[in-house]
Amino acid sequence: WPTLPVPSNWTMHGYDRPHYTNVQMPFDLAPPNVPDDNPTGLYRRTFELPAGWDSRRVVLNVGGAESVLYVWLNGQAVGMGKDSRLPHEFDLTPFLKAGENLLCCAVVKWSDATFIEDQDQWWMGGIHREVFLYATTKTYIADVFALATPDEGFQDGALSVTTKLGFSGPPINGWSVQTQLFDLEGRALLDEPLLDRVRADNRRHNPYRGPLSQVTQTARVAAPLLWSSEAPNLYTVVVSLISSEGDVVESTSCRVGFRRIEMGDRALLINGKAVMIRGVNRHEHDPVTGKVISRESMIVDIKLMKQFNINAVRASHYPNAEAWYDLCDEYGLYVIDETNLESHAFLHTMCRDPRYLSQFVERGSRMVERDKNHACIIAWSLGNESGYGPNHDAMAGVIRALDPSRPLHYEGATWVWNEVYTPIPKGLLEDPISRSGMRASDMICPMYPPIDSLVAWAQADDPGDRRPMILCEYSHAMGNSNGSLSDYWAAFEAHPGLQGGFMWEWCDHGLTQHTADGRAYFAYGGDFGDTPNDLNFCCDGIVGADRVPHPGLWELKTLVQPVGVRWIEAATGQIEVLNKRDFADLSDLSGTWALEVDGEVAAHGELPSLTTLPGAVSVVRLPLPRPIVFEGQEAFLMVRFALAGDAGYAPAGHEVAWSQLPVSLPTKPKARAKPVSVMPLTLKRNGERAVVTGRDFELSFSADSGMEQMTRGNHLVIILGPQLQIWRGATDNDGIKGMPRQAEKALTKWLEAGLDQMTVGRGRLETSQEDGQVTVHLRQVGSCGAAEHAVIFDHTYVISGDGRVQVDCTFYVDSVLSDLPRLGVTLTLADEFEGLEWFGRGPLESYSDRKHAAWVGKFAGTVSDQYVPYAMPQEHGNKTDLRWIELRSPDLAVRFSPSALCEGSASRFAPQDLFAAKHTTDLAPRKEVRVNLDVAQRGLGTASCGPDILEQYRVGAGTYRLAFDIDVLGA
Ligand code: GAL
Ligand code: MG
């Protein structure tokens, strides 16, 4: 009997092992069969009852056990329960004895229920939530269901509290229930507490007069503060049980929020507003404890979500630990609570298997019973990826009747499964209700739909189906991802009926492990010898398993921010500020503005305090200097909004929103002044090599690689000049590199075309000298399996006496190559060039289809800092809209200035390093700096699960030009 902490997953304590699968089951058996080898944990501990408990009813609550729980007390069988994500309660009273009691639990990993707990996550094991005993009187408050509903006009509110009594013996009359409502300051709001007798015994009453042993009490509440994610105002209901002698024998409380959820015309209405769902899906995951989630870590998650302007969370895919809902009530997050039911591997089977009917009904109804008092819950979800069948309709019927105050969500019902799989003559299915799954879902909630299909749905405006569309999952955040998030948001905001959604997913499910030499990394499927597995498909969070935000989260924050800013007229300094909130004005925010000309702040100031109402705009006139820009300058107005005072989720000063507005269009490429160089320059040819020497620099060229080495004084600056580059360390969206090649994925096509093996042939070096400048030209041909002339690469170098090199590249991409990873050049710089500055979008990495969180400015950092530790190493660190990028050593700076905006990055990893690595700890930074300058890089898209990049973010066949200057300056 070794000791194991409770709560814990035994799989995180050296027993059995974590096992990750997505759709497939971890074993190859048909329901309800499970392997004979079935990990089972036996727990035992003793306890003594506290003084005064011996005449009371004592209940054991086990918050969650994966997966089947059996309980014995003092050698007697007490009961069992299934559902890994809900509590099980056992009345221990008849089994207790004075002195020491021995409690034993057995937790069995695999059961018939495993087939309906097939969510995409680690299979763990053990008692992973809190266990506690509580005591009540023998007659006790069995349940309280409190509803706090604003009236039609949102002026006053109605409180309705239904209290059910439980009896350890036969039900008896004589009990009363007393109820009072308190505000947060503890002030009683009802002049008199509600006091009602409970009819428990029906022998002397007409049995037709309503349910026994329960009472519903109602009261009007004048002008309550409403609850919303923006203003999570809570009240407390206290319910007391009064004996026939008038003694209060027991009291309980719960918090309520006055708010109303209704289905409107193509809208889910929260307090009458079609609130845009800025949501995320959240699994319960901790990189060290697995499924054991502390309250502190929940607060970390909630604060992060709120700080990133997220207003909703789907409890994917099971009821969470109870504290989560308390915190969502308190901090203000809209929650879709989800039944613990997924049968992905047997999608169409379990939902029509009568042996599982009661499990469907029980899982859904037990969730509702546990969580119904939470203001934060705006809908009940019937589960995830379990097809759609009669078992769902049964569950839906029960939930609707238990809690008519909330709508239902179920993605599976909005498919056409029932038409395909139900053995009913076609004609009967003309009934629109059964066709469209309206019995089981009040919203259309697809996962990963392409944007054009959303728009088509919204425009069709079906008069027969007025449900809104709220995506249950979209923008799969696996690795470097969330391409086109802005295109989704543009669609949501433009088309009535589209009401946002929940991006997939909040955090990576990496588990912290260490290499032999003690370096930490995040493990994923297969790292524990767990087979079969789905590799790193569980690392698809918008934050890492350690909760470090991925760049995609900043993108989301920017797109869903509550304040929008637009020019009315730049010349007069007038801007329009839009309040995108639903309920609150903007008076909690303070605004600042800055005019940046060519990357430097030219003027700045504060905005007046704004009381802009929700949905309204305010016009502000800024005292901008005149003229704002001069010929040839580039200017932006940056407007930022921060919390003026502390909020529950962030301190004063926390930035909530920003907008960068261009004042002028990007400048035309400046005509290159002819250098009036009188500095000496010599050109030496030696067969297929050439050397250009100036007063303090030297440049060498070859027919194999064009420009090779550049030295300045006695410093080596460039080790290798611009080399044709079309490859990148594939992102998970390009294709999951550890999996067998997936058809249709970009990576598969690239590998088939041999893009990773492209060879660039030797050309003919042409040199000339004229007007104090040397010109070197080389044409090279890049060949790969798919095309002998895949890319023709023309590069010309004009070298001046002052050391400036003007590079002009033309790329002719063969028509067979329609979708390249990137197109540009890579230069290799000496190790010392670790310092980095750039003028372009930053400070975070940006890509053509994910650049809204990056603004245009001058940024400084180091090359090593550009690394983004995606759990699976892959392309990262890109910068878009570059005006220039500069690398710095302690002695020198080398600046690359493109003639037109380009993309680029600086890194110590080559694409092949990233591609070869399986974990972050496999990566070893090179002792050299690689500078990538790209005409364009492929966007990111979300093809690991969902649509690939849109056409406009592709780099395909055609002729492209990339021209840039290289200047070496003293540091
Ligand atoms: C969905 C599913 C999620 C997760 C996601 C991919 O199909 O509902 O649980 O598997 O895809 O990461
Ligand atoms: Mg699934």
Side-chain angles (χ1 to χ4, degrees), residues 22-23 118-120 317 342-345 347 384-385 447 473:
N22 172 15
V23 179
D118 182 25
Q119 289 97 349
D120 179 4
H317 298 301
E342 174 163 344
S343 64
H344 208 162
L347 197 74
N384 188 56
E385 295 184 319
M447 45 175 77
E473 295 176 27

Side-chain angles (χ1 to χ4, degrees), residues 20-23 118-121 281 283 314 316-317 338 342 344 384-385 411 447-448 472-473 476-478 504-505 509 537-540 944-945:
Y20 169 59
T21 62
N22 172 15
V23 179
D118 182 25
Q119 289 97 349
D120 179 4
Q121 63 179 342
N281 280 277
H283 264 286
R314 173 174 174 230
S316 57
H317 298 301
E338 189 151 283
E342 174 163 344
H344 208 162
N384 188 56
E385 295 184 319
E411 180 258 353
M447 45 175 77
Y448 312 107
C472 75
E473 295 176 27
H476 196 250
M478 185 175 183
W504 187 267
E505 72 173 305
H509 299 211
F537 204 65
C538 59
C539 293
D540 53 0
S944 61
C945 182

